[in-house]
Amino acid sequence: AMLPPPAMRGVFRTDERARAAYAEGAGIYRILPLAVCLPADRDDLVALVRWASEHRVPLVPRGAGSAMGGGNVGEGAVVDLTRLPRRLEIRAPERLAITSANVTLAELNMAADAHRLRLPPDPSSGRFATLGGMVSTNAAGARTVRYGSVRRWVRGLELVTAAGEVLELRRGGSSAEPRAETVRRFEAEVAPVITAARGLIAARYPRTRKNASGYALEDWLATGDLLDLVIGAEGTLGFVTRIDWQLDRQPSHRAGLRIELRTLDDLVKVVAALLTCEPSAVELLDRTFLDLVRHTEVGQGLGTAEAILLVEIERDEARPLRDAVARASEAVRPWASAVDTALTPASSARLWELRHAASPILAGLPEDRRSLQVIEDACLPIERMGEYIRIVRRVTSARDIAAVIFGHAGDGHVHVNLLPKIGRAGWEQGVAGVMEEVSDAVIRLGGTPSGEHGDGRLRSALLQRLYGDEILGLFRRLKLAFDPLGVLAPGVILPSGEPAITRLKVGGQAVPIPDDIARALREIERGAGYGRCRLELA
């Protein structure tokens, strides 16, 4: 039976073209939603949420759609928040910013730049990633090694709950109106149970420098701030509509190093030596990555390096910067086959061109080869990183699936793009096999399957292996307190029981959508055009 539409002033569409335009995000899935909604403002969103609760319609919160784990697609009504009223206010004296959820990181940093301020976390998607999406995945990036992930920089936020309440959550204050039913339920039924499980949580959470898997129970135990549970919850506990940010002063000086390694055996020692110099980024380009860019202009003269590390060092004064660069080059000399340093912004930018060279190549692969993000986010204890890369190379080559490996070495965080030949029969099973084997290895090595992208739909089935039944039970209780009817992003974080490698956007099983829309979505993927409103495609 047709549902009555919600009483909202924004866009609500159920036609095939609008639904097709929102069937994909970044990541591997194509799932046709039931409807597409673009609320006009917060009251509109509240009305929509109440309608969804009344009719039990699942809602899929979405910003730019650039998240890789598939949390931005689903069967329910996709709720695109990009048309909410925009707010971007910089309070320079307190180094604060107040933004709506639909402002991008690039826009915030452009406004902050006028005051020589910035928000330090820098996911590579920053020019189109919305700040609401970044809070929802606790986004990170290359500079996390020095500045942490988004969590550290959030002072407060506004949350629209599944019941349509509007909560103000603040750091260090229980300023959430205790009248709110959701907060009361959490404090009465969930908080004591999580607190009682403190020992188990400490024992089961991975000892990695980053972890975006499951809910952040450890962080909540450390602060008691409800917003720590919302950060990284991928929209499963409510819609983030406004964020208050702590900003940081921009360092005035920056330099870079490029370090070539002959063997992965030295990787861990080199990273440990570099960390003593307090770098702001230590990026890894594995041989698989270097092979991809060798034939390009920036890849000239790469030689036979097994891996390259790109290091960024930031300081407020020129002299300490030069000292730190000298110390870093000296520290890695026993293992490096070559060290290049760049002390000017221009030469530093040239070193980093190598890191950015791969994306256009991966995006432009011929159609029988697609770059798929399946095991793209594991974070390991740093000392197991070399071992992990070897496992990935071995498992992928055993199944004859090419893989490109790079990542944030300073955090033990390794990104992998699989490049399966999608014309070959049974390639999906091969990819599923790689995911299975590699995920087992991650957990065996004490790592987490997600360092910064979140679980989405892709990794939800791994939570039981990672944390065990009791902690999964705590996750379910938390979700139930915030979303008793299960309308917010079902299948995201908490497993739906569906296999991960299913309902893909590529291959013979992909659900058909109009050709012109399929082409436009592919163009967005190829050119990283996630800033474009998908409704235009319809």
Side-chain angles (χ1 to χ4, degrees):
M2 281 302 291
L3 280 177
M8 58 185 284
R9 287 163 289 122
V11 174
F12 178 82
R13 286 178 57 172
T14 53
D15 57 292
E16 186 206 10
R17 289 183 66 79
R19 290 162 54 217
Y22 283 87
E24 295 180 10
I28 64 175
Y29 297 107
R30 179 188 289 171
I31 302 173
L32 269 177
L34 181 78
V36 171
C37 327
L38 287 83
D41 54 24
R42 191 187 70 197
D43 294 344
D44 222 15
L45 177 61
V46 168
L48 173 65
V49 167
R50 292 190 171 146
W51 167 84
S53 293
E54 186 187 336
H55 298 286
R56 304 288 171 96
V57 176
L59 297 178
V60 181
R62 178 162 164 148
S66 60
M68 303 217 179
N72 45 23
V73 292
E75 264 139 6
V78 169
V79 185
D80 177 342
L81 298 177
T82 56
R83 290 205 182 165
L84 292 175
R86 293 169 53 80
R87 181 175 180 189
L88 172 49
E89 191 184 317
I90 307 282
R91 298 185 183 168
E94 305 109 285
R95 302 215 297 262
L96 275 181
I98 298 164
T99 70
S100 48
N102 52 351
V103 170
T104 65
L105 175 63
E107 290 167 330
L108 169 56
N109 276 334
M110 209 188 309
D113 188 54
H115 308 279
R116 304 218 38 108
L117 297 170
R118 68 174 181 184
L119 182 64
D122 63 327
S124 56
S125 55
R127 65 195 161 89
F128 43 77
T130 63
L131 293 166
M134 283 176 57
V135 167
S136 298
T137 52
N138 186 27
R143 289 203 182 107
T144 307
V145 65
R146 184 160 193 197
Y147 299 102
S149 61
V150 155
R151 179 181 308 283
R152 187 194 293 185
W153 304 93
V154 177
R155 307 301 313 154
L157 53 83
E158 179 183 80
L159 186 75
V160 174
T161 68
E165 306 149 322
V166 178
L167 304 184
E168 282 283 337
L169 305 180
R170 297 231 150 287
R171 268 266 169 252
S174 54
S175 56
E177 310 78 69
R179 311 186 284 287
E181 185 58 32
T182 300
V183 177
R184 212 187 48 69
R185 200 163 41 229
F186 170 77
E187 286 173 354
E189 297 166 21
V190 188
V193 194
I194 297 176
T195 307
R198 187 184 288 273
L200 176 70
I201 290 165
R204 291 295 310 234
Y205 270 63
R207 290 278 145 272
T208 47
R209 289 176 55 112
K210 296 156 86 170
N211 177 23
S213 248
Y215 292 109
L217 304 186
E218 274 194 313
D219 293 282
W220 178 78
L221 282 170
T223 63
D225 292 334
L226 255 187
L227 61 73
D228 275 322
L229 292 171
V230 172
I231 296 168
E234 301 190 60
T236 59
L237 304 181
F239 289 87
V240 174
T241 47
R242 192 204 74 236
I243 310 109
D244 304 349
W245 298 98
Q246 185 69 61
L247 299 177
D248 199 25
R249 282 199 191 87
Q250 287 183 11
S252 0
H253 298 275
R254 176 176 300 155
L257 295 97
R258 180 168 113 176
I259 300 159
E260 296 191 14
L261 298 183
R262 281 188 276 298
T263 163
L264 276 183
D265 296 339
D266 299 333
L267 178 64
V268 171
K269 290 175 276 202
V270 170
V271 169
L274 288 168
L275 290 180
T276 63
C277 306
E278 296 183 17
S280 50
V282 182
E283 295 290 279
L284 164 79
L285 309 178
D286 176 67
R287 183 188 73 210
T288 53
F289 181 105
L290 302 174
D291 288 345
L292 189 71
V293 300
R294 260 178 232 286
H295 63 277
T296 67
E297 204 178 326
V298 288
Q300 297 294 306
L302 274 178
T304 56
E306 190 63 21
I308 282 180
L309 291 175
L310 297 176
V311 183
E312 177 188 77
I313 297 178
E314 297 179 325
R315 295 292 185 269
D316 287 326
E317 312 281 331
R319 181 108 185 245
L321 180 75
R322 278 201 307 274
D323 293 348
V325 170
R327 223 169 58 240
S329 337
E330 203 42 52
V332 301
R333 206 157 302 282
W335 307 287
S337 52
V339 179
D340 292 315
T341 58
L343 288 162
T344 65
S347 59
S348 197
R350 271 200 301 279
L351 282 193
W352 285 87
E353 279 176 357
L354 194 58
R355 170 74 172 80
H356 306 302
S359 293
I361 298 174
L362 289 171
L365 287 169
E367 281 303 306
D368 64 334
R369 268 250 153 122
R370 282 291 279 275
S371 173
L372 296 185
Q373 298 84 14
V374 174
I375 49 167
E376 87 296 350
D377 202 34
C379 188
L380 289 297
I382 288 180
E383 65 279 6
R384 314 304 291 267
M385 187 170 40
E387 199 178 336
Y388 173 71
I389 292 170
R390 287 218 157 89
I391 291 170
V392 171
R393 287 182 185 175
R394 190 182 71 232
V395 169
T396 51
S397 76
R399 293 178 188 271
D400 195 21
I401 294 175
V404 175
I405 304 171
F406 56 103
H408 312 305
D411 288 314
H413 188 186
V414 182
H415 291 320
V416 181
N417 281 34
L418 297 181
L419 312 179
K421 295 191 176 116
I422 59 175
R424 187 195 281 174
W427 68 269
E428 294 96 338
Q429 287 84 338
V431 168
V434 166
M435 184 175 183
E436 188 62 27
E437 268 188 80
V438 170
S439 301
D440 268 346
V442 169
I443 294 168
R444 189 175 72 244
L445 296 171
T448 171
S450 178
E452 66 189 4
H453 296 158
D455 299 306
R457 313 180 160 278
L458 179 62
R459 285 178 274 271
S460 57
L462 300 174
L463 292 187
Q464 193 270 335
R465 261 185 267 180
L466 182 62
Y467 291 117
D469 290 331
E470 277 179 84
I471 288 176
L472 199 56
L474 296 177
F475 291 168
R476 291 190 196 283
R477 291 177 87 134
L478 170 64
K479 169 75 169 160
L480 202 59
F482 274 82
D483 181 18
L485 303 173
V487 294
L488 298 176
V492 174
I493 300 185
L494 288 178
S496 63
E498 189 177 30
I501 308 301
T502 181
R503 300 209 275 180
L504 305 180
K505 60 166 74 160
V506 295
Q509 306 297 308
V511 50
I513 57 175
D515 284 346
D516 61 321
I517 293 180
R519 277 196 305 274
L521 289 171
R522 181 75 177 115
E523 270 320 298
I524 285 174
E525 190 179 304
R526 277 208 154 116
Y530 294 101
R532 185 173 180 196
C533 179
R534 298 314 181 277
L535 206 57
E536 292 173 14
L537 312 186

